[in-house]
Amino acid sequence: MANQTPHVQLLLTGNEIMSGDTVDSNSALIARRLGELGVPVLRKVTVGDDRNLLIRELAAMAEVADLVIVNGGLGPTVDDLTAEVVAAVAGVPLAEHPGAIAHLEAWCARRNLPLNAANRKQAMLPAGCALLDNPVGSAVGFDVSVGSCRILSTPGVPGELAKMLDIIVADLGRRLERASEHSVLRLQTFGLGESSAQQLIADACPDWPAEVELGFRAGAPQMEIKLSVDSAAALPARDLCRAQLESLFGDHIIGEGDTQLAEAVLDLLRARGKTLTTAESCTGGLVASMLTRIAGSSDAFHAGFVTYANDIKSAVLGVDEQTLQEHGAVSEPVVRQMAEGALARASADYVIAVSGIAGPTGGTPDKPVGTVWLAWGERDAIETLQLCWPVERTLFQTMLAAAGLDMIRRRLLGLNSQPRYFAQRRVG
Amino acid sequence: MANQTPHVQLLLTGNEIMSGDTVDSNSALIARRLGELGVPVLRKVTVGDDRNLLIRELAAMAEVADLVIVNGGLGPTVDDLTAEVVAAVAGVPLAEHPGAIAHLEAWCARRNLPLNAANRKQAMLPAGCALLDNPVGSAVGFDVSVGSCRILSTPGVPGELAKMLDIIVADLGRRLERASEHSVLRLQTFGLGESSAQQLIADACPDWPAEVELGFRAGAPQMEIKLSVDSAAALPARDLCRAQLESLFGDHIIGEGDTQLAEAVLDLLRARGKTLTTAESCTGGLVASMLTRIAGSSDAFHAGFVTYANDIKSAVLGVDEQTLQEHGAVSEPVVRQMAEGALARASADYVIAVSGIAGPTGGTPDKPVGTVWLAWGERDAIETLQLCWPVERTLFQTMLAAAGLDMIRRRLLGLNSQPRYFAQRRVG
């Protein structure tokens, strides 16, 4: 397999994927991780938990592919068929794998559970297989060769798959010597749309070099920009492209790799020895939750307030009742007083305050669903801004929580430019 | 096709899906919509925008399936190959379709655009096909028969696909008289593991009827149990199975369909005219965020406190400083005082308080990572509990936020039984 691109196929199993109850994001994750090595996935097939269908698909794949990754069906229940199917295609019996038993015993011991019959089934693997360690869950993966095809069976739980892919990708990378030449630079951005970013790049960089592949992955709240090259010789061109992207929308770039907005903000605060507090109405604790998801956030985040009701805005944050009556909860003076109240009560250096109408109800002709006031900054230097972001409730909460974090990020970096989303979302 | 379940397969095309840059949610949507008719999707295959690969897959499908839905590749660009591929498999030429031209002219006229060559390509369809109207976008779908297989080609833009599926599902429903007999009952649970649930059912219900299909979908924090039947005659058996599940783990069942824990808690509070507040340390606002994600949560949730640092627990919630020093933040007296402080400050009826060590650092031999104190209840009736849930940080936060909500749910329902996860997680 060394020194040439292997033919890779994916086989996905699970009734919940076939029924549409679960959207399969695992195959996208596998494709992205293999993509880091410059290895494309040629074809993927999904079938339900049906022994005969699975055997037929896997046998056909094993005849033509160099590598098949099977995902799902490693659990303890009767509809988890992967071990049985791989054994049938490899023409070997199932056998209790001592390494898998040891893994399961350790897993159960950590949870004070006995090793029951259902768990024990997870150690019945194709005879002679190698194990793929699962540092997170009970199901081990396994590695079986059928003719010239290598079959890797991986767990369906996304967090477990992600960890196992680290192992698989590192191993494949070692086998593919040319892989070390393939390199992917990922930039995380907030506030850019995929099509407008693409258009801006096309306009500003007509001579984009062919050897630098440009890709986008739009998510909520962030969008990833990806620069891939296939050889070390293309790295200087890649660096020039990066510089062009930075001059085009540098202030929208949060960081490299998987950097999250909350992480970037916490790093900036930590470097300055500063703390941040939050006063949230329509985002209902999401800004605080995004911050505290990051390990070590307690260095820079000590307190947050969720003040959903008007009387709580007064009682907890000291917002003036008359201001609330005159201007309503979604107004400049109220969001400013929320910010000031939170700063004082938390003795924090920086604050984010959000008050808006997340919907689906609660809008008025004056303040339709999607209307929101943001406040951010330091004592005696609080800025405010009205946006209108009329999207579905949870997406609204996600985008506005991120916008609040982005305002603090921009303040901490001393950026004076206006983010591009102001042009579309700003009111007044 | 009437009166028997058709054999359905999906063919998905798109380089962005193969690379993992886009997660395919279209196939799940198609499967769910067909599922409403009791029609399962047997198999789905995804390949990139490659003419030969697409022809090979579609030809193989047309030989065995009654219905193939092709998704994607209807756009105006050169890598949109679906019309060409379907024509090749059907053995007919491409021809400009007058109905498609009329649709495109109307679409362009509404936008004050001229009909250009790229658009015109979208009217080049397999000769003799029937149109599937696209009320939203420029790309019409089309309906072609190859032997006994019907091939429906649909657009990749999710909003356009959704509208076209309304038309397709209505048409299929008319063709399938028995559709109304298929029925799926989904129960949402918290605190059950997939393997232990399966084992308990196997032990308690040795005579589980073959006509009631049992399925599980483990998520975080909830697990879904699904009971499916194919005919109305099996409904009494399904109801008996449901009753057995309820007697086995009724207190772990949150509700039917998609019911989330936060939703169940809010419904119970609303029915009693009561409110809930939160005092969160290690969950960092996640309980508040889970509640406020639900539309209408403001009826029963007015305020939440994120008190991450010790001095904030004192300053904001009035936790006694000496208690903090003597017992530490992760202790029974502190979590109880957090609960009492939040209840008083928010003037709420019920409270959830959480203080624990989410990790990855911060553990001690005495209080390892995963140690957590929960408090919940009403004024003068607050209960507390120590659990140890040593899992990865964000999963810990998700499970503990859910456990807090579950405690309030049990209190509101007057349940006296101990949840099964106590056996595994409880300390002391």
Side-chain angles (χ1 to χ4, degrees), chain A residues 26-37:
Chain A
N26 284 357
S27 62
L29 178 64
I30 295 171
R32 285 201 307 274
R33 295 302 311 272
L34 294 183
E36 288 167 19
L37 299 172

Side-chain angles (χ1 to χ4, degrees), chain B residues 86-295:
Chain B
V86 173
V89 171
V92 298
L94 285 175
E96 192 170 276
H97 193 293
I101 286 286
H103 171 84
L104 285 160
E105 281 172 347
W107 187 85
C108 287
R110 283 200 300 277
R111 281 157 190 78
N112 279 322
L113 290 171
L115 186 63
N116 64 23
N119 292 130
R120 223 175 171 92
K121 170 178 176 294
Q122 292 181 290
M124 292 298 290
L125 302 180
C129 72
L131 292 191
L132 296 168
D133 187 35
N134 183 338
V136 194
S138 62
V140 291
F142 47 92
D143 179 348
V144 170
S145 286
V146 175
S148 62
C149 179
R150 192 174 171 206
I151 300 173
L152 303 179
S153 299
T154 60
V157 179
E160 300 182 16
L161 171 64
K163 293 279 184 195
M164 200 174 286
L165 280 172
D166 289 341
I167 300 167
I168 290 172
V169 167
D171 173 71
L172 283 179
R174 281 188 295 272
R175 291 168 189 240
L176 291 162
E177 290 142 38
R178 67 168 272 292
S180 61
E181 299 233 332
H182 181 81
S183 143
V184 177
L185 173 70
R186 295 184 297 133
L187 299 174
Q188 296 294 332
T189 69
F190 174 71
L192 295 175
E194 188 178 335
S195 65
S196 63
Q198 172 133 22
Q199 190 71 56
L200 283 162
I201 295 171
D203 294 346
C205 320
D207 300 326
W208 190 275
E211 67 266 38
V212 183
E213 192 193 341
L214 177 67
F216 299 90
R217 185 153 66 94
Q222 301 186 187
M223 182 182 75
E224 181 179 293
I225 303 179
K226 206 164 79 167
L227 298 179
S228 313
V229 295
D230 269 332
S231 75
L235 284 175
R238 200 270 312 269
D239 292 341
L240 281 175
C241 289
R242 183 200 176 128
Q244 286 186 297
L245 293 182
E246 278 173 350
S247 79
L248 263 178
F249 13 71
D251 61 329
H252 293 77
I253 297 173
I254 299 159
E256 288 190 22
D258 290 318
T259 308
Q260 294 171 47
L261 203 39
E263 210 176 340
V265 168
L266 288 166
D267 285 346
L268 291 168
L269 289 165
R270 218 179 270 122
R272 288 158 179 75
K274 300 290 187 184
T275 63
L276 171 68
T277 186
T278 53
E280 303 183 63
S281 186
C282 60
T283 49
L286 185 57
V287 183
S289 181
M290 285 167 80
L291 288 163
T292 55
R293 228 175 270 163
I294 310 293

Side-chain angles (χ1 to χ4, degrees), chain A residues 15-25 27-29 31-32 41-48 53 57 76-80 110-113 116-119 215-218 226 281-286 288-290 292-298 301-309 311-312 315-316 345-347 359-360 393-394 397, chain B residues 17-25 27-29 31-32 41-48 53 57 186 194-196 198-199 213-217 224 226 281-286 288-298 301-309 311-312 315-316 345-347 359-360 390-394 397 423-425:
Chain A
N15 288 340
E16 70 289 359
I17 300 177
M18 287 316 288
S19 67
D21 287 336
T22 298
V23 169
D24 156 44
S25 58
S27 62
L29 178 64
R32 285 201 307 274
V41 174
L42 201 71
R43 176 174 180 263
K44 64 184 189 194
V45 176
T46 313
V47 289
L53 284 182
E57 296 296 340
T77 69
V78 287
D79 53 6
D80 288 305
R110 283 200 301 279
R111 281 158 189 78
N112 279 322
L113 288 173
N116 65 23
N119 291 129
F216 299 90
R217 188 153 64 92
K226 206 165 77 171
S281 187
C282 60
T283 48
L286 184 58
S289 180
M290 285 166 81
T292 55
R293 228 174 270 164
I294 311 293
S297 46
S298 56
F301 179 75
H302 299 171
F305 303 88
V306 183
T307 55
Y308 218 51
D311 56 339
I312 295 294
V316 171
R345 279 153 188 77
S347 308
R393 180 180 180 88
T394 56
Q397 291 176 321
Chain B
I17 301 178
M18 286 318 288
S19 67
D21 286 335
T22 298
V23 169
D24 156 44
S25 59
S27 63
L29 178 64
R32 283 201 307 276
V41 174
L42 202 70
R43 176 174 181 264
K44 64 184 188 194
V45 176
T46 313
V47 289
L53 284 182
E57 296 295 342
R186 295 184 297 133
E194 188 178 335
S195 65
S196 63
Q198 172 133 22
Q199 190 71 56
E213 192 193 341
L214 177 67
F216 299 90
R217 185 153 66 94
E224 181 179 293
K226 206 164 79 167
S281 186
C282 60
T283 49
L286 185 57
S289 181
M290 285 167 80
L291 288 163
T292 55
R293 228 175 270 163
I294 310 293
S297 46
S298 56
F301 180 75
H302 299 172
F305 303 87
V306 184
T307 56
Y308 218 51
D311 56 339
I312 295 294
V316 172
R345 278 153 188 78
S347 308
V391 293
E392 180 274 326
R393 180 180 180 89
T394 56
Q397 292 176 321
Q424 197 186 337
R425 309 291 188 182

